[in-house]
Amino acid sequence: MRHGRAKAARKTLKFYSLTGKIKAPYKVLLDANFIVSCIRQKVPLHDRLGRLLQGEKFSLLVTRAALRELDSIIDACEEKGKIDVLTAAKQFGLDECEILEDHADASAGDSITNFVHEGNLEGYFIATQDEQLSDTLRGMPNVPILRLNRAVLLLEAPSAASRRNASSDERSKLFGMNEEEKQLVTNVKAHEITRAKAQEERRPKERLKPKAKNPNPLSCKKRKNETKSNPDGEKKKRRRRKKGTSSVDKNEE
C-alpha cells in the first residue's frame, strides 16, 4: 500500500474510532457484488484488508440475502465462465464469512441497510461495489465504506453525514456540561492562548538590516585640485632661474 493511502486510512480509522466507537476487532460485511469482483480480479482479500486496517484483527461477514442473490444469478446465467466465478464467490461466502441471518424477503441491499440504519451500533464496515447502495450508506452517519478500484482496495473518507453527526455530538457534549466543567474548558483554552503568546514573545526576532545611507562627508577623501589654467585654456608656464646667476650680476648688466 502506498504511503498516501495508508495515511488516509489511518486518519479515517481514527475518525470512526473517536466518533463512532468503531474499534478492533473490526467487522467487515461483504456485499455479493464485492465478493464477485474480488474473485474475478483475483484480489487477496485477507492480505489487503490486513494492511488497510493497519494490521488489526478483523472478521468477514455476509448476509443470507447476498447468498440468495448469488444463487438466483447462477440459476439465470448460461455462460460457463461467469457461472464458475459466481459459484466461487458463493463458496467464499460460505467458507470464509460468518453468515448474518435476515428477513427471507429482504433484498441484498435492503438487508445491509437494515443492519446499519440506526447509527451502525455494531460498527460494521460495508464492502460493496453497488453505487446505489453506496449513495444510500453515505447518507447514514458512522458507516465506513470499502470498495475496489481497479483491484485496489480503498477505504472511503468519512461522508458528510458522518462529519455532521460528529460535530453535533461535540456540541451536545459541550452544552451538556455543568458550570464547573465549562469553566474548566474555558480555563484550559485561556491557558493555551497564554502559552502560545509567551512562546511567540520568546522567539528571537529577526533584526532588520539597516538601510544604506549617504557617506559621511568628513570621512570622504578630498579630490586633488586640478591644474589651474588661463582663461584662454592654455596652461601657465613657470619661469625657472638659471643656476649661478645672482642679483649683483643682474645689476651690472
Side-chain angles (χ1 to χ4, degrees):
M1 181 185 295
R2 292 185 178 180
H3 176 70
R5 288 200 300 270
K7 184 177 180 181
R10 283 196 300 270
K11 186 177 179 181
T12 301
L13 290 174
K14 186 175 181 180
F15 174 87
Y16 285 116
S17 173
L18 295 174
T19 62
K21 308 301 181 184
I22 301 178
K23 298 180 181 180
Y26 299 115
K27 301 175 184 178
V28 183
L29 181 54
L30 308 179
D31 193 11
N33 49 38
F34 183 86
I35 301 176
V36 171
S37 297
C38 289
I39 298 298
R40 183 182 290 119
Q41 301 181 47
K42 299 179 181 180
V43 176
L45 188 57
H46 286 280
D47 178 60
R48 297 285 177 84
L49 275 173
R51 285 187 288 173
L52 186 67
L53 300 177
Q54 310 301 306
E56 298 290 349
K57 292 182 179 180
F58 63 91
S59 58
L60 300 179
L61 304 97
V62 66
T63 61
R64 182 67 68 180
L67 297 178
R68 288 197 301 267
E69 184 181 43
L70 288 173
D71 280 333
S72 61
I73 296 174
I74 291 172
D75 293 340
C77 187
E78 297 180 355
E79 296 182 24
K80 185 178 183 304
K82 290 183 179 181
I83 292 176
D84 291 341
V85 171
L86 294 169
T87 304
K90 179 185 175 182
Q91 197 62 42
F92 181 91
L94 293 172
D95 296 342
E96 303 292 335
C97 303
E98 177 185 347
I99 300 175
L100 298 179
E101 299 295 339
D102 49 24
H103 299 292
D105 56 348
S107 65
D110 292 340
S111 176
I112 288 177
T113 55
N114 289 337
F115 280 107
V116 299
H117 77 284
E118 294 182 352
N120 193 15
L121 300 179
E122 294 296 326
Y124 294 116
F125 284 72
I126 307 301
T128 180
Q129 296 296 100
D130 189 338
E131 283 300 325
Q132 185 176 357
L133 176 60
S134 296
D135 289 340
T136 302
L137 296 174
R138 291 185 189 108
M140 300 179 180
N142 199 35
V143 181
I145 300 175
L146 294 162
R147 59 184 174 86
L148 285 174
N149 183 17
R150 297 182 181 179
V152 177
L153 185 61
L154 300 175
L155 174 60
E156 289 190 2
S159 64
S162 296
R163 293 195 300 270
R164 285 195 301 268
N165 184 67
S167 300
S168 62
D169 285 346
E170 290 298 323
R171 287 194 297 270
S172 62
K173 289 178 183 178
L174 180 61
F175 293 136
M177 292 188 297
N178 56 35
E179 292 300 325
E180 184 179 354
E181 291 172 336
K182 289 181 180 180
Q183 185 62 39
L184 180 60
V185 172
T186 304
N187 293 341
V188 170
K189 290 183 178 180
H191 175 71
E192 291 295 326
I193 294 173
T194 304
R195 187 168 62 88
K197 287 182 179 179
Q199 289 179 351
E200 186 68 23
E201 291 175 357
R202 286 197 299 268
R203 188 178 300 171
K205 296 181 179 180
E206 296 182 359
R207 296 183 63 184
L208 298 176
K209 293 182 179 180
K211 294 182 179 180
K213 297 180 179 180
N214 293 328
N216 187 353
L218 299 178
S219 64
C220 294
K221 197 172 182 180
K222 293 182 179 181
R223 295 181 180 179
K224 293 182 179 180
N225 293 330
E226 296 180 358
T227 308
K228 294 181 180 180
S229 58
N230 291 333
D232 299 335
E234 296 180 357
K235 293 182 179 180
K236 186 177 181 180
K237 296 182 179 180
R238 294 179 61 187
R239 294 181 63 186
R240 294 184 179 179
R241 284 185 177 184
K242 293 182 181 180
K243 293 183 178 180
T245 306
S246 63
S247 59
V248 177
D249 296 336
K250 287 181 181 181
N251 293 334
E252 289 179 355
E253 290 176 2

